[in-house]
Amino acid sequence: MFTSEKGVVEEWLSEFKTLPETSLPNYATNLKDKSSLVSSLYKVIQEPQSELLEPVCHQLFEFYRSGEEQLLQFTLQFLPELIWCYLAVSASRNVHSSGCIEALLLGVYNLEIVDKQGHTKVLSFTIPSLSKPSVYHEPSSIGSMALTESALSQHGLSKVVYSGPHPQREMLTAQNRFEVLTFLLLCYNAALTYMPSVSLQSLCQICSRLLMQ
């Protein structure tokens, strides 16, 4: 990391600490336009030994729990890179280097599994019926499958998938890692339309790396 990039991150860390609460919405709006900051933060996350990694992870968590939607999305854009770095460091058995990343991932997970009243959330998803047209298909083009779907829909059958309730987690283990990371990617996917291109590119690169392992 260059000195100039380190300076950008350090300025960002100190700026938020002195920010009045009344200035938070305006600060959050302007943050998304700071491309040099985003680029520098990616470099910090990609360097597990960086002295800035722990304060960066702490501030990203503060953003997430601030309740400001744009600050939440700012943190969320780094989620694919954070997951990859956590997995890579865990595979190298250098647990100490992944401690702050693990804490951030767990913090986001534990915030997302409950609603504003602190009750555990159960998410539901209705799988679209192929018998009904959408922007992606016409039932007539599917052939006999459309008849099967049509027959099912006439009987009022629909496929609903549920996610949750999910338990609070204090640490990531081999037993719960897949569940926690899957849920985090579900949260990322729900905000996909708000993610900048650099975040989507990071997601594609990480998927490619995982498939090659």
Side-chain angles (χ1 to χ4, degrees):
M1 171 177 278
F2 296 113
T3 304
S4 58
E5 294 170 328
K6 184 178 179 181
V8 169
V9 174
E10 290 174 338
E11 181 182 352
W12 170 72
L13 289 169
S14 59
E15 180 185 15
F16 185 69
K17 291 176 182 177
T18 59
L19 192 71
E21 192 170 342
T22 53
S23 304
L24 203 58
N26 187 52
Y27 171 80
T29 302
N30 296 330
L31 199 60
K32 63 181 181 180
D33 298 325
K34 297 185 177 181
S35 57
S36 60
L37 170 62
V38 172
S39 175
S40 299
L41 288 176
Y42 268 106
K43 290 188 177 181
V44 171
I45 294 170
Q46 291 163 358
E47 296 179 11
Q49 306 300 330
S50 172
E51 61 184 16
L52 292 173
L53 182 58
E54 186 171 347
V56 163
C57 286
H58 176 75
Q59 184 143 309
L60 288 175
F61 179 66
E62 290 298 317
F63 276 19
Y64 206 87
R65 71 173 184 174
S66 67
E68 191 69 39
E69 189 67 25
Q70 288 180 309
L71 290 183
L72 183 150
Q73 291 169 7
F74 184 83
T75 294
L76 209 55
Q77 71 177 310
F78 299 103
L79 194 59
E81 196 69 39
L82 287 164
I83 288 176
W84 168 255
C85 290
Y86 166 75
L87 291 174
V89 172
S90 298
S92 68
R93 301 187 183 279
N94 191 353
V95 181
H96 177 72
S97 297
S98 65
C100 54
I101 294 180
E102 178 179 341
L104 174 56
L105 294 175
L106 281 170
V108 172
Y109 168 83
N110 286 326
L111 284 175
E112 283 293 342
I113 62 173
V114 295
D115 57 23
K116 293 181 179 179
Q117 287 71 43
H119 303 131
T120 55
K121 292 191 293 190
V122 177
L123 307 177
S124 63
F125 311 90
T126 302
I127 298 179
S129 171
L130 293 177
S131 65
K132 298 177 182 178
S134 73
V135 294
Y136 303 107
H137 82 289
E138 288 292 338
S140 59
S141 64
I142 303 178
S144 60
M145 186 181 293
L147 296 176
T148 303
E149 286 289 328
S150 178
L152 289 173
S153 64
Q154 288 174 6
H155 288 83
L157 299 177
S158 60
K159 180 71 172 177
V160 180
V161 179
Y162 296 94
S163 174
H166 296 276
Q168 292 273 335
R169 300 292 186 186
E170 294 183 359
M171 62 183 298
L172 287 175
T173 65
Q175 288 72 34
N176 66 31
R177 184 181 298 138
F178 179 77
E179 176 195 345
V180 171
L181 298 184
T182 298
F183 182 81
L184 289 174
L185 285 174
L186 185 67
C187 298
Y188 178 86
N189 187 61
L192 201 63
T193 54
Y194 303 105
M195 295 298 103
S197 58
V198 64
S199 179
L200 299 178
Q201 183 179 4
S202 173
L203 176 65
C204 292
Q205 289 173 342
I206 288 159
C207 290
S208 178
R209 292 174 197 162
L210 287 172
L211 289 172
M212 293 173 65
Q213 296 300 313

